[in-house]
Amino acid sequence: MSDRQGSGQAPAGGRPAPVGKPLLSLTLTAMMDDVHAHAGGVYLLAPHEPVLEMAAMAGLPRAFAAPWERVGLSAPIPVAEAVRERRLIWVSGEEQMASRYPRIALVLPYPFALAALPVATGNKTYGAVFVTWPGSHPPELSDRERDHLTAACDRLALRLERAAEEQRPVHPEPELPAPATTATVAGTLGTVEVARMVARLPYGLCAMDLHGRISYANAATAELLGVRVSDLLGTQLWASVPWLNDPVYEDRYRAALLSQQVTSFVALRPPGDWLSFRLYPSTNGLSVRISRARAVTEMTRTGPRRGDDTPRLATISHVLSLASALTEAAGVQDVVQLVADEVAPAVGSQALVVLGSRAGRLHVLGHRGYPDAHVVECFDGMPLSAQTPGTHALNSGVPAFFDSRQQLERLYPSLNATPDGMAAWAYLPLIASGRPVGICVLAYAQPHAFPADERAVLTSLGGLAAQALERALLYDAKLQLAHGLQAALLPPSLPSLPSIEAAARYLPATQGMDIGGDFYDLVPSRDRAAAVIGDVQGHNVTAAGLMGQIRTAVRAYTTVGQPPEEVMGSTNRLLFDLGTDLFASCLYLRLDPAREVAVMARAGHPPPLLRRPDGKVRVLDLAGGPLLGIDASATYPTTEVPLAPGSVLTLYTDGLIESPGVDIEDALADLGRRLAETGDQPLDTLADSLVRHGGTATQERPDDVALLLLRARPLD
């Protein structure tokens, strides 16, 4: 190793020191020593990729940062933000981490402070560095710490620049081993005496390294755990003791190392012995004290106390499962339901309200757990300027936690009567893309303490819920727009005709935007009526827009008195005039009740079905031409079909009969049988029956479905 400048100072003359090995680790540890940080890491920018790759880490096992081994420059984490903005990023503690970087806080919900800085020269960025301190660090970074960190990163950037100029690539470096303790001869003798003394203690003592491996355990540890000392050494506690194999216990070890604060937990050794574990961290490992938890043992003998069975977010895996559940939400009500089903029970909340923010006011999006729904009505329409804990949390972006009714009323005297009857509250602002989208209020029936780790988890979940709610609001807005557009393009109702009874149904495809190109219409006239059904290629706004133009054109050509073949020809030429690349199938018919006939023209559309008054059904083999939009000079011959009173014409689009794995001829025959059996029913009932046929009303639909039923009535 040629680089021995552990202090990280530049040599005389201001030139950077030669690049040695391991450059990154030595620079990082020197930087940590200068600012008394206990952990840190170095990222290098990947060549030809907008990605940061971890190159060195010290002070903590690299596994702690496993989710962030490779980080995209657009990722919402501190090192990426430091590179994007070319400035120092400071995170003062777990609440600020949960608010600004919920993804990190979900995985590491512990009290620690972090600084991230870019490693860059004036014209090139090489990577980033982060360092962490225990949660006891002051809330502000001192000028001395800021100056030392900035200077160290500048020196590292110069060394990396020099290495690049000399074509000497800098590679990722392995973790530095924890510093070994040194001892003189007297110290060694002292260590022997200490070991003898520890062996005589009535409680267990063991030592772990940074990776959780046991390096020492006394006899009492083996007796309490029921595992021999030889089987413990070199292993992790939660791996060598079966009843400690739970993520919650490993989580406590991670919490102690990262926060550098004493942590503890209680575990049940089967069948009924409770043991207390207290973890004392240092920069090179942990000391663990194990004793019998008498108070817990007595409690279990007399039964659990009221309130002790409150569900808590105890494990990282549990938290991540809640986060993944939120990604499944599509609409706003999905988000509300998932928060109610997944988040509220996990944190022991008995009721919740999700409020949206729009036009300077709060609006109730959903609520659960309140027997009387009227208790949440006071929130609806509340201005954001009101002095309430919810509006204050939303305006400031800072969550608010109230352990009891007294605490809430002390801070907000005007709320001396809480209308929801609850005793504790968590107000989580929902901030997404830098703007407030709403607030989630979790309510508790009994006073509820919010320890720091639970506040961090709730704040993180609020951030994830905010992103889910933002997506859901956008989804609902698009869905409402699609439904509104579809409703505007289709006839709002069918006209009432003296000689024709009609019923129609439309179902959009379930894949896409819930909007499509299927259409139908019934056009009245003085002595005759016309009906049309068609299908424009596609299930999007373009298809729907073209569908609206075709329907309008057909109605216009009908109104001016064009016969069926001319209506089809004029509509075909219109598609060419519009310059569209889409095609459309169409079936047009002119009804002549006086002659009891229908004159039909077809453009590549599925054949209609005719149910005669005697109940027999036949598929009408009509003459026709190609799809509209294929050939500008195409002609569309007509066919005259008898339509006696009591006859039912069934016009449909292919979505009604086409489904994967089903032969089209079989499906059409099946539809005919259903029409023969149920054709005497009222048309609305018949329409619902035919749509349900084949499951198109309830199952996934790859295509739109349109259905138009026409029943001939006898003339008066």
Side-chain angles (χ1 to χ4, degrees):
M1 297 184 184
S2 61
D3 192 345
R4 295 295 181 186
Q5 301 206 16
S7 65
Q9 301 295 323
R15 290 179 58 90
V19 177
K21 297 181 180 180
L23 165 65
L24 302 178
S25 298
L26 291 175
T27 302
L28 178 61
T29 53
M31 188 185 308
M32 291 163 49
D33 288 342
D34 285 343
V35 296
H36 307 295
H38 79 284
V42 179
Y43 284 86
L44 294 179
L45 196 60
H48 313 299
E49 277 188 283
V51 172
L52 292 169
E53 296 179 324
M54 179 168 285
M57 189 165 176
L60 287 173
R62 192 155 178 166
F64 278 35
W68 306 286
E69 281 281 348
R70 283 173 54 87
V71 175
L73 288 183
S74 60
I77 71 170
V79 288
E81 188 173 329
V83 171
R84 289 196 306 270
E85 301 185 8
R86 293 178 67 91
R87 67 179 180 89
L88 186 150
I89 303 297
W90 168 245
V91 184
S92 62
E94 59 184 329
E95 289 197 16
Q96 196 174 105
M97 181 69 78
S99 176
R100 294 169 56 187
Y101 308 103
R103 298 182 189 179
I104 295 178
L106 273 172
V107 181
L108 302 174
Y110 316 120
F112 68 96
L114 178 144
L117 301 91
V119 177
T121 60
N123 54 13
K124 186 170 181 180
T125 300
Y126 292 93
V129 168
F130 77 88
V131 292
T132 66
W133 293 264
S136 56
H137 189 283
E140 298 295 334
L141 196 64
S142 69
D143 292 340
R144 175 190 171 279
E145 291 169 328
R146 185 179 296 270
D147 292 343
H148 275 267
L149 290 172
T150 303
C153 287
D154 289 344
R155 290 193 294 272
L156 178 58
L158 291 175
R159 293 183 180 184
L160 294 174
E161 182 180 54
R162 181 175 177 180
E165 291 172 352
E166 297 175 357
Q167 297 183 346
R168 290 184 291 110
V170 177
H171 298 290
E173 299 169 3
E175 294 181 55
L176 290 179
T181 56
T182 59
T184 61
V185 173
T188 302
L189 293 175
T191 301
V192 172
E193 290 302 318
V194 169
R196 289 173 178 172
M197 180 190 72
V198 169
R200 293 191 293 266
L201 292 176
Y203 46 82
L205 283 178
C206 63
M208 295 180 182
D209 63 14
L210 290 177
H211 296 275
R213 296 184 293 256
I214 298 174
S215 56
Y216 172 81
N218 65 355
T221 296
E223 180 182 354
L224 288 169
L225 298 181
V227 180
R228 294 179 302 179
V229 171
S230 59
D231 293 333
L232 290 173
L233 295 179
T235 69
Q236 294 173 319
L237 193 61
W238 47 90
S240 56
V241 181
W243 46 272
L244 287 177
N245 187 16
D246 189 308
V248 69
Y249 305 132
E250 183 180 357
D251 176 59
R252 294 295 81 199
Y253 140 79
R254 291 158 61 94
L257 277 187
L258 195 56
S259 68
Q260 289 293 293
Q261 295 179 0
V262 177
T263 63
S264 60
F265 63 88
V266 176
L268 175 65
R269 176 188 170 181
D273 293 329
W274 287 90
L275 299 182
S276 172
F277 295 77
R278 196 161 182 83
L279 285 63
Y280 300 87
S282 70
T283 56
N284 58 4
L286 295 168
S287 298
V288 184
R289 182 182 187 273
I290 308 171
S291 61
R292 297 187 184 276
R294 298 183 184 277
V296 176
T297 304
E298 294 298 324
M299 180 192 74
T300 57
R301 289 174 183 168
T302 59
R305 292 172 294 183
R306 183 174 180 178
D308 288 347
D309 56 347
T310 301
R312 305 297 288 270
L313 279 174
T315 68
I316 294 300
S317 58
H318 194 180
V319 174
L320 292 178
S321 72
L322 298 180
S324 64
L326 285 172
T327 64
E328 300 174 3
V332 170
Q333 292 310 310
D334 294 336
V335 174
V336 175
Q337 193 61 48
L338 277 170
V339 172
D341 292 344
E342 300 284 346
V343 177
V347 299
S349 170
Q350 283 73 47
L352 67 93
V353 181
V354 177
L355 303 161
S357 172
R358 186 175 70 251
R361 293 183 179 273
L362 294 175
H363 300 275
V364 176
L365 300 177
H367 59 88
R368 299 290 188 277
Y370 290 102
D372 184 3
H374 295 292
V375 298
V376 301
E377 289 182 357
C378 60
F379 292 113
D380 205 42
M382 179 180 292
L384 294 181
S385 58
Q387 295 302 309
T388 67
T391 55
H392 183 267
L394 187 58
N395 291 327
S396 65
V398 178
F401 302 94
F402 300 95
D403 299 352
S404 64
R405 182 189 302 241
Q406 292 76 16
Q407 185 182 46
L408 177 66
E409 294 174 354
R410 183 172 63 253
L411 295 175
Y412 294 90
S414 61
L415 303 179
N416 53 10
T418 52
D420 61 359
M422 295 295 174
W425 299 265
Y427 291 84
L428 308 177
L430 305 179
I431 311 295
S433 303
R435 65 181 186 87
V437 295
I439 188 165
C440 178
V441 183
L442 297 171
Y444 299 76
Q446 301 295 329
H448 181 91
F450 295 94
D453 57 347
E454 186 172 342
R455 293 186 181 208
V457 168
L458 286 172
T459 304
S460 300
L461 287 173
L464 292 168
Q467 296 172 22
L469 182 60
E470 183 185 42
R471 294 193 303 270
L473 289 168
L474 182 60
Y475 173 84
D476 283 355
K478 288 183 175 180
L479 192 62
Q480 185 177 4
L481 175 62
H483 287 172
L485 177 59
Q486 191 79 62
L489 295 175
L490 291 172
S493 62
L494 296 177
S496 177
L497 302 175
S499 56
I500 295 294
E501 180 187 357
R505 296 292 184 269
Y506 172 80
L507 296 174
T510 56
Q511 301 171 5
M513 293 182 58
D514 257 7
I515 189 171
D518 288 17
F519 66 96
Y520 60 86
D521 202 358
L522 183 60
V523 185
S525 63
R526 290 187 300 272
D527 55 347
R528 297 177 184 179
V532 63
I533 192 166
D535 183 359
V536 177
Q537 172 191 5
H539 314 113
N540 50 36
V541 173
T542 303
L546 183 60
M547 173 267 283
Q549 292 174 301
I550 292 176
R551 190 175 76 87
T552 302
V554 169
R555 180 173 278 264
Y557 298 142
T558 300
T559 303
V560 299
Q562 287 189 359
E565 63 274 14
E566 291 186 15
V567 170
M568 294 293 274
S570 299
T571 306
N572 181 49
R573 289 189 293 273
L574 173 67
L575 260 64
F576 282 91
D577 293 341
L578 293 174
T580 178
D581 294 329
L582 299 180
F583 309 131
S585 70
C586 188
L587 176 64
Y588 178 86
L589 57 95
R590 184 70 56 85
L591 300 166
D592 190 344
R595 296 174 51 223
E596 296 185 358
V597 297
V599 181
M600 303 186 184
R602 186 162 69 105
H605 199 80
L609 300 180
L610 174 65
R611 185 184 189 274
R612 296 185 301 196
D614 59 5
K616 294 182 179 180
V617 175
R618 69 185 182 98
V619 178
L620 298 180
D621 185 15
L622 305 177
L627 293 169
L628 301 178
I630 296 287
D631 180 4
S633 61
T635 59
Y636 298 91
T638 59
T639 303
E640 189 172 279
V641 177
L643 191 64
S647 300
V648 177
L649 268 175
T650 302
L651 316 180
Y652 57 91
T653 56
D654 52 11
L656 183 67
I657 58 173
E658 288 185 355
S659 58
V662 178
D663 183 79
I664 189 69
E665 297 296 333
D666 293 340
L668 189 57
D670 203 19
L671 179 63
R673 284 192 295 270
R674 176 63 62 92
L675 180 61
E677 295 168 359
T678 60
D680 291 329
Q681 296 177 338
L683 276 197
D684 281 324
T685 304
L686 178 60
D688 291 336
S689 174
L690 295 181
V691 166
R692 284 194 301 269
H693 175 64
T696 54
T698 57
Q699 298 178 355
E700 290 289 313
R701 294 184 299 276
D703 199 1
D704 311 318
V705 174
L707 173 68
L708 179 61
L709 299 179
L710 303 172
R711 175 178 283 153
R713 293 172 175 169
L715 291 174
D716 296 335

